[in-house]
Amino acid sequence: MTPDNWTPPHSHDPSPNPPGNDSTLTLYVGLQAFHLTSGDLAGFPQSTVNNCYIVSTGHGTSGPFAFEGVQILELTNRYTNNTWVYINIISDDGFRTRLTRAALATMGERPVLLALKIDGRPMRRNEGLIRLIVPNEKEDALQQVKWVSDIRVH
């Protein structure tokens, strides 16, 4: 698949087996793997993006929500030399999306987050524990990844 067409067709049904309460994710940069807990991510500068909606195919729209977490670019700035082109974000249940560095750089005041909180409280398991929030997404939440487990930098 090309970088622009990486998200495969998938079911829009809720995951029948959501993952447990371990929110550790692995950031892969080349051959290095960094294991990060939600506590590690909470140690980064935190950003809040208000008026976010979750649009789920077949499940309607919910929100608005205020999501708080670490900006994806903040995370990648810490662990890379910023020459990457795209990142793959993969859920513990296999759902995935791809974001380009160029697109992330244009988000402005509504940056893409690895959200840890929703409306001021930690996210629960069914909400994603660590959830990728793409505030400007217009389609059926195809980039809103719950239960982020892997981020692969390319």
Side-chain angles (χ1 to χ4, degrees), residues 49-65:
V49 180
N50 294 304
N51 297 315
C52 293
Y53 291 86
I54 297 174
V55 182
S56 298
T57 303
H59 307 288
T61 299
S62 57
F65 302 107

Side-chain angles (χ1 to χ4, degrees), residues 1-8 85-86 88 97-100 103 143:
M1 292 184 198
T2 67
D4 295 330
N5 188 22
W6 188 72
T7 303
V85 176
Y86 62 90
N88 299 328
T97 195
R98 176 171 283 173
L99 299 171
T100 66
Q143 295 178 320

